[in-house]
Amino acid sequence: MYICGLKFLVILKDTDIQIIASVKEILNKANLNIVIIPHENPDGDAIGSAIGLAEVLNNIGHNARIVTPNNYPDFLKWFSSDARITVYKDKKKKAKSIIKGADLMFCLDFNEASRAGKLEKRILNFENPKILIDHHPYPTNFCEYTISETKYSSTAELLYDVICTTGFEKKITKSAAEALYTGILTDTGSFAHNTSDPNTFKVVSELMKFGINTDKIQSGVYHNFSADRMKLLGYCLNKKMVVYPELRAAMISISKEELSRFNFKTGDTEGFVNYPLSINNIVFSAIFIEKENIVKASFRSKGNFPANKFSSENFNGGGHLNAAGGESDLPLEETIEKFTQLLPGYKHQLLETII
Ligand code: 5GP
Ligand code: MN
């Protein structure tokens, strides 16, 4: 199969292509109001995919609006796109009216409605067609149209192939390409993981043809932190990281007090959990961050140690094999205690992990 003039390195299945054809038929109607919802605590892939899709839909002649469950980091606020984003947590009335007035809903970068936090019920109760585009394993059946492929590095990469399959690739603008590239860049940690499929680089090379400035994007995402955030990172690595070499694991925990000491802003702790994985022989890293009512957990692993399984078994979460998240209802200290008690139970698997 040929797509965008290149031989298509088939990741999309025939069933996906049929679903995409049905979605295209819906999009053939004129002037639809469309709401796009990414997951809670949106990351670069969630925001980048939402912006890329909104731009394309608007260029086809629809009115696409993005509603995020909560705020997203400043390092995702430099996009040149004029796609409009409403944060539900900050502007409930406006967000509700956008959702209520929508003829169609796209859910991006999550696999179950609960991942949209406070928007869960509004998604489940939405009466018009819902379309899921996602790359997480085990999608639940909460949308009429589900396009879900775990082989993609990111929802942004999948979305690019979906757009090409609809034949709307000519509607991709430079700023849409910039947003989609950002999704791929951030979900692969600057092409450091999840990049074993050549399709990722094929899509990147096609996005680059739109004239995007990849150096500028790299700076926008990764060279855009506050001094406080850098100091918080230094503090976490120096004072808060616990390494369990005999278990090939490491853990960082941060309390609310520590966050406020470093003037915490949304997104400041993003990526911290990855650092311990650069220690020789460490294959599993966890971070526990004290929030208002819960402790948010993030897990990263190397090789075949399943971070998502560890999270679903112990912290009511999930995600990908090597990047997962969850939460704990226990106070921070008890959460840390729980984690340290759990780890030895995984000793065999951790020691057997092949990288
Ligand atoms: P992060 O650690 O960056 O928040 O998330 C890593 C991965 O785990 C992402 O793919 C994200 O969607 C998933 N994830 C994060 N938190 C949760 C959670 O509470 N529940 C589930 N099921 N997945 C999560
Ligand atoms: Mn993603």
Side-chain angles (χ1 to χ4, degrees):
M1 176 178 286
Y2 285 81
I3 270 181
C4 296
L6 282 174
K7 191 167 189 301
F8 186 27
L9 302 153
V10 193
I11 299 183
L12 289 177
K13 300 191 194 81
D14 285 348
T15 47
D16 294 318
I17 290 168
Q18 281 163 15
I19 294 168
I20 294 166
S22 309
V23 172
K24 187 177 179 189
E25 249 178 56
I26 301 176
L27 292 173
N28 280 339
K29 291 200 192 93
N31 208 4
L32 295 171
N33 288 318
I34 303 177
V35 62
I36 300 171
I37 301 186
H39 58 76
E40 192 176 31
N41 304 321
D43 58 7
D45 191 27
I47 293 291
S49 299
I51 291 176
L53 179 61
E55 288 242 346
V56 170
L57 293 172
N58 286 333
N59 288 341
I60 301 169
H62 300 303
N63 170 33
R65 308 286 294 268
I66 300 165
V67 175
T68 63
N70 59 348
N71 199 5
Y72 53 101
D74 283 354
F75 63 77
L76 296 173
K77 291 187 176 165
W78 49 267
F79 287 102
S80 52
S81 167
D82 51 16
R84 284 175 293 170
I85 303 184
T86 303
V87 178
Y88 173 77
K89 201 171 168 213
D90 300 341
K91 295 209 164 125
K92 289 207 177 64
K93 218 169 144 193
K94 187 173 172 194
K96 280 183 204 169
S97 100
I98 292 171
I99 296 172
K100 212 162 167 227
D103 305 304
L104 196 61
M105 175 185 283
F106 280 88
C107 295
L108 296 186
D109 201 34
F110 59 99
N111 55 359
E112 51 184 300
S114 63
R115 292 281 301 121
K118 292 272 189 296
L119 288 179
E120 175 180 8
K121 283 211 181 76
R122 287 180 199 279
I123 292 174
L124 294 175
N125 295 336
F126 187 73
E127 285 173 354
N128 290 322
K130 295 190 282 279
I131 300 147
L132 174 70
I133 304 180
D134 181 44
H135 70 134
H136 290 90
Y138 319 118
T140 56
N141 195 16
F142 69 99
C143 291
E144 284 74 17
Y145 302 92
T146 298
I147 305 162
S148 166
E149 288 300 339
T150 55
K151 277 188 92 181
Y152 282 93
S153 68
S154 49
T155 295
E157 182 192 335
L158 164 60
L159 180 58
Y160 179 81
D161 277 356
V162 171
I163 293 167
C164 288
T165 307
T166 59
F168 288 135
E169 67 271 17
K170 290 197 181 67
K171 304 292 179 181
I172 298 177
T173 53
K174 183 177 169 185
S175 47
E178 187 181 65
L180 293 176
Y181 177 84
T182 303
I184 301 174
L185 178 76
T186 52
D187 257 26
T188 60
S190 296
F191 306 103
H193 46 76
N194 288 343
T195 52
S196 54
D197 197 299
N199 191 64
T200 307
F201 294 99
K202 185 205 83 168
V203 170
V204 165
S205 80
E206 290 180 20
L207 289 173
M208 289 185 72
K209 291 182 195 147
F210 291 90
I212 60 173
N213 183 339
T214 52
D215 290 358
K216 190 189 109 190
I217 297 172
Q218 185 77 22
S219 284
V221 177
Y222 293 110
H223 305 158
N224 211 351
F225 297 121
S226 66
D228 280 327
R229 187 263 184 192
M230 295 305 282
K231 288 178 185 174
L232 176 63
L233 172 62
Y235 171 75
C236 286
L237 296 179
N238 190 11
K239 304 277 186 206
K240 302 303 309 272
M241 182 175 69
V242 184
V243 184
Y244 311 91
E246 70 293 352
L247 295 167
R248 303 177 85 193
M251 186 262 305
I252 295 173
S253 62
I254 320 174
S255 69
K256 273 194 287 198
E257 184 280 316
E258 287 165 323
L259 290 176
S260 68
R261 212 191 303 162
F262 290 90
N263 301 316
F264 173 79
K265 279 176 67 193
T266 306
D268 277 357
T269 52
E270 192 86 19
F272 283 17
V273 65
N274 294 308
Y275 282 87
L277 284 188
S278 41
I279 302 170
N280 177 29
N281 207 33
I282 296 299
V283 296
F284 184 47
S285 167
I287 191 165
F288 297 100
I289 304 171
E290 191 180 27
K291 301 278 176 190
E292 260 339 294
N293 303 313
I294 55 142
V295 173
K296 180 73 194 144
S298 282
F299 304 101
R300 297 291 185 271
S301 67
K302 283 190 192 161
N304 54 347
F305 185 80
N308 51 3
K309 198 157 169 265
F310 183 90
S311 186
S312 62
E313 282 172 356
N314 307 299
F315 291 96
N316 195 26
H320 306 279
L321 179 75
N322 296 129
E327 59 190 46
S328 160
D329 293 333
L330 301 170
L332 182 62
E333 285 310 316
E334 287 175 42
T335 303
I336 296 166
E337 184 69 26
K338 172 176 167 177
F339 177 75
T340 48
Q341 283 174 6
L342 278 167
L343 262 191
Y346 289 84
K347 183 169 184 175
H348 183 69
Q349 249 181 300
L350 287 162
L351 296 187
E352 296 284 299
T353 295
I354 304 160
I355 8 181

